[in-house]
Amino acid sequence: MHSAHSAHSGSFRVRSARAEDEAALGVLDRDTWSTLHAVAPEPVPPYDPFFDSTHRPEHYLVAEEAEGGEGAHGTGGLLGYIRLAPPTPLMCNRHVRQIQGLAVVEAARGRGVARALLRAAYDEARRQGAVRMTLRVLGHNAPARALYESEGFTVEGVLPGEFHLGGEYVDDVLMGRRLD
Protein backbone atom coordinates (compact mmCIF):
# COMPACT_ATOMS: atom_id res chain seq x y z
CA MET A 1 0.00 0.00 0.00
CA HIS A 2 0.91 3.59 -0.45
CA SER A 3 2.95 4.90 2.47
CA ALA A 4 1.49 8.38 2.92
CA HIS A 5 -2.13 9.14 3.60
CA SER A 6 -3.30 12.52 4.75
CA ALA A 7 -4.49 13.12 8.28
CA HIS A 8 -8.10 13.75 9.17
CA SER A 9 -7.77 16.77 11.47
CA GLY A 10 -4.68 17.66 13.39
CA SER A 11 -5.20 15.04 16.08
CA PHE A 12 -4.45 11.86 14.08
CA ARG A 13 -3.17 10.64 10.75
CA VAL A 14 -3.73 7.58 8.58
CA ARG A 15 -0.82 5.61 7.16
CA SER A 16 0.00 2.18 5.82
CA ALA A 17 0.69 -0.43 8.47
CA ARG A 18 4.23 -1.66 9.03
CA ALA A 19 5.53 -4.96 10.37
CA GLU A 20 6.55 -3.24 13.60
CA ASP A 21 2.87 -2.36 14.26
CA GLU A 22 2.07 -6.03 14.89
CA ALA A 23 2.11 -6.02 18.71
CA ALA A 24 0.08 -2.80 18.97
CA LEU A 25 -2.42 -4.05 16.38
CA GLY A 26 -2.83 -7.29 18.31
CA VAL A 27 -3.66 -5.34 21.47
CA LEU A 28 -6.05 -3.05 19.58
CA ASP A 29 -7.78 -6.01 17.95
CA ARG A 30 -8.26 -7.81 21.27
CA ASP A 31 -9.40 -4.62 23.06
CA THR A 32 -12.06 -3.93 20.42
CA TRP A 33 -13.40 -7.51 20.15
CA SER A 34 -17.20 -7.62 20.46
CA THR A 35 -20.09 -9.78 19.29
CA LEU A 36 -21.41 -6.58 17.69
CA HIS A 37 -18.94 -7.15 14.85
CA ALA A 38 -16.86 -10.29 15.48
CA VAL A 39 -17.85 -13.77 14.34
CA ALA A 40 -14.67 -15.41 15.64
CA PRO A 41 -14.55 -16.44 19.30
CA GLU A 42 -13.10 -13.98 21.80
CA PRO A 43 -9.31 -14.29 21.69
CA VAL A 44 -7.62 -16.01 24.62
CA PRO A 45 -3.91 -16.49 25.35
CA PRO A 46 -1.70 -17.63 23.81
CA TYR A 47 -2.64 -15.14 21.09
CA ASP A 48 -2.08 -15.87 17.43
CA PRO A 49 0.13 -13.39 15.56
CA PHE A 50 -1.79 -10.44 14.12
CA PHE A 51 0.05 -10.75 10.79
CA ASP A 52 0.33 -14.06 8.96
CA SER A 53 0.60 -15.27 5.36
CA THR A 54 -2.91 -14.05 4.47
CA HIS A 55 -3.03 -10.99 6.79
CA ARG A 56 0.01 -8.99 5.75
CA PRO A 57 0.94 -5.42 6.75
CA GLU A 58 0.29 -4.18 3.22
CA HIS A 59 -3.41 -5.07 3.63
CA TYR A 60 -3.86 -2.60 6.49
CA LEU A 61 -4.10 1.12 7.00
CA VAL A 62 -3.80 2.44 10.55
CA ALA A 63 -4.87 5.65 12.25
CA GLU A 64 -2.42 6.94 14.81
CA GLU A 65 -2.23 9.89 17.15
CA ALA A 66 -0.45 12.89 15.73
CA GLU A 67 3.04 13.50 17.08
CA GLY A 68 3.16 13.40 20.85
CA GLY A 69 0.01 11.34 21.39
CA GLU A 70 0.12 7.99 23.14
CA GLY A 71 -3.25 6.54 22.21
CA ALA A 72 -4.86 3.75 24.19
CA HIS A 73 -2.83 1.64 26.62
CA GLY A 74 -0.69 -0.85 24.73
CA THR A 75 -1.60 0.34 21.25
CA GLY A 76 1.48 2.54 20.81
CA GLY A 77 -0.57 5.50 19.65
CA LEU A 78 -2.67 3.46 17.23
CA LEU A 79 -6.33 4.44 17.26
CA GLY A 80 -7.70 2.05 14.70
CA TYR A 81 -7.15 0.02 11.57
CA ILE A 82 -8.88 -1.03 8.38
CA ARG A 83 -8.08 -4.15 6.40
CA LEU A 84 -8.38 -3.77 2.63
CA ALA A 85 -7.79 -6.83 0.47
CA PRO A 86 -8.89 -8.47 -2.76
CA PRO A 87 -12.03 -10.51 -2.04
CA THR A 88 -10.67 -13.46 -4.01
CA PRO A 89 -7.37 -14.41 -5.72
CA LEU A 90 -9.11 -14.45 -9.13
CA MET A 91 -7.89 -12.13 -11.89
CA CYS A 92 -11.48 -11.54 -13.04
CA ASN A 93 -12.21 -10.06 -9.59
CA ARG A 94 -9.13 -7.85 -9.24
CA HIS A 95 -11.11 -4.64 -9.85
CA VAL A 96 -12.77 -5.09 -6.42
CA ARG A 97 -11.36 -4.47 -2.95
CA GLN A 98 -13.09 -5.67 0.19
CA ILE A 99 -13.00 -4.20 3.66
CA GLN A 100 -12.22 -7.20 5.83
CA GLY A 101 -12.00 -5.49 9.19
CA LEU A 102 -12.41 -2.05 10.71
CA ALA A 103 -11.73 -1.33 14.37
CA VAL A 104 -11.35 1.84 16.44
CA VAL A 105 -10.37 1.96 20.11
CA GLU A 106 -13.15 3.03 22.47
CA ALA A 107 -11.33 6.19 23.59
CA ALA A 108 -11.09 7.45 19.97
CA ARG A 109 -14.69 6.84 18.92
CA GLY A 110 -16.60 9.91 17.78
CA ARG A 111 -13.46 11.61 16.44
CA GLY A 112 -13.96 10.61 12.80
CA VAL A 113 -11.29 7.90 12.87
CA ALA A 114 -13.42 5.21 11.16
CA ARG A 115 -14.57 7.63 8.46
CA ALA A 116 -10.97 8.74 7.84
CA LEU A 117 -9.86 5.10 7.58
CA LEU A 118 -12.67 4.39 5.09
CA ARG A 119 -11.77 7.38 2.94
CA ALA A 120 -8.08 6.48 2.98
CA ALA A 121 -9.09 2.94 1.95
CA TYR A 122 -11.03 4.32 -1.04
CA ASP A 123 -7.93 6.23 -2.13
CA GLU A 124 -5.73 3.17 -1.68
CA ALA A 125 -8.17 0.92 -3.53
CA ARG A 126 -8.28 3.38 -6.44
CA ARG A 127 -4.47 3.54 -6.44
CA GLN A 128 -4.48 -0.26 -6.76
CA GLY A 129 -6.83 -0.03 -9.76
CA ALA A 130 -10.08 -0.95 -8.02
CA VAL A 131 -13.38 0.51 -9.18
CA ARG A 132 -15.61 -1.17 -6.60
CA MET A 133 -15.50 -1.82 -2.87
CA THR A 134 -17.48 -4.36 -0.86
CA LEU A 135 -17.84 -5.39 2.77
CA ARG A 136 -19.81 -7.65 5.09
CA VAL A 137 -21.36 -6.34 8.28
CA LEU A 138 -23.48 -8.04 10.90
CA GLY A 139 -27.13 -7.06 10.69
CA HIS A 140 -27.29 -5.98 14.33
CA ASN A 141 -24.31 -3.60 14.01
CA ALA A 142 -26.40 -0.45 13.52
CA PRO A 143 -23.53 2.04 14.10
CA ALA A 144 -21.34 0.45 11.43
CA ARG A 145 -24.21 0.09 8.98
CA ALA A 146 -25.12 3.77 9.43
CA LEU A 147 -21.51 4.80 8.82
CA TYR A 148 -21.24 2.68 5.68
CA GLU A 149 -24.56 3.97 4.33
CA SER A 150 -23.45 7.57 4.98
CA GLU A 151 -20.35 6.78 2.91
CA GLY A 152 -22.34 5.57 -0.10
CA PHE A 153 -22.49 1.84 0.54
CA THR A 154 -25.79 0.14 -0.24
CA VAL A 155 -27.12 -3.23 0.85
CA GLU A 156 -26.60 -5.69 -1.99
CA GLY A 157 -27.65 -8.84 -0.19
CA VAL A 158 -28.57 -10.34 3.15
CA LEU A 159 -27.81 -13.83 4.41
CA PRO A 160 -30.52 -14.26 7.06
CA GLY A 161 -29.44 -15.92 10.31
CA GLU A 162 -25.98 -16.65 8.89
CA PHE A 163 -24.28 -16.53 12.30
CA HIS A 164 -25.27 -17.70 15.78
CA LEU A 165 -23.82 -15.20 18.25
CA GLY A 166 -24.68 -14.71 21.90
CA GLY A 167 -27.60 -17.14 21.64
CA GLU A 168 -29.20 -15.34 18.67
CA TYR A 169 -29.16 -15.78 14.90
CA VAL A 170 -27.65 -12.75 13.21
CA ASP A 171 -27.86 -11.69 9.55
CA ASP A 172 -24.76 -11.18 7.42
CA VAL A 173 -25.31 -8.03 5.35
CA LEU A 174 -23.39 -7.61 2.10
CA MET A 175 -22.76 -3.99 1.08
CA GLY A 176 -20.95 -2.36 -1.80
CA ARG A 177 -20.22 0.88 -3.60
CA ARG A 178 -18.48 2.13 -6.70
CA LEU A 179 -15.27 4.09 -6.32
CA ASP A 180 -15.67 6.39 -9.31
Side-chain angles (χ1 to χ4, degrees):
M1 284 190 180
H2 190 57
S3 61
H5 287 280
S6 62
H8 170 38
S9 88
S11 61
F12 66 89
R13 65 175 166 261
V14 176
R15 64 167 172 80
S16 297
R18 302 183 287 253
E20 56 267 26
D21 294 323
E22 181 167 25
L25 282 168
V27 170
L28 191 159
D29 200 48
R30 291 186 296 275
D31 286 353
T32 58
W33 183 93
S34 164
T35 56
L36 188 62
H37 60 81
V39 295
E42 185 169 8
V44 294
Y47 301 118
D48 290 332
F50 186 83
F51 295 131
D52 61 28
S53 63
T54 59
H55 298 81
R56 301 188 312 265
E58 60 267 24
H59 293 153
Y60 293 85
L61 296 172
V62 297
E64 67 181 352
E65 289 286 3
E67 295 303 320
E70 275 304 305
H73 174 70
T75 65
L78 295 187
L79 303 174
Y81 72 80
I82 193 167
R83 181 170 190 253
L84 179 69
T88 73
L90 302 170
M91 289 299 289
C92 60
N93 188 226
R94 69 183 300 176
H95 65 286
V96 179
R97 287 297 176 276
Q98 187 174 60
I99 295 170
Q100 298 179 346
L102 173 61
V104 175
V105 297
E106 183 77 32
R109 291 183 188 158
R111 291 175 54 191
V113 174
R115 192 175 303 276
L117 284 164
L118 277 170
R119 291 179 178 178
Y122 307 152
D123 292 343
E124 179 58 28
R126 286 185 195 103
R127 191 190 69 75
Q128 293 177 16
V131 297
R132 179 171 155 68
M133 185 169 284
T134 62
L135 60 86
R136 297 169 68 167
V137 61
L138 294 175
H140 67 195
N141 192 344
R145 291 182 64 181
L147 171 66
Y148 298 140
E149 288 170 8
S150 76
E151 283 292 313
F153 284 87
T154 59
V155 174
E156 298 180 341
V158 176
L159 302 174
E162 185 72 2
F163 299 104
H164 191 256
L165 301 169
E168 295 188 26
Y169 292 100
V170 178
D171 296 348
D172 190 13
V173 180
L174 314 177
M175 300 181 83
R177 65 160 284 179
R178 293 200 50 85
L179 291 173
D180 51 6

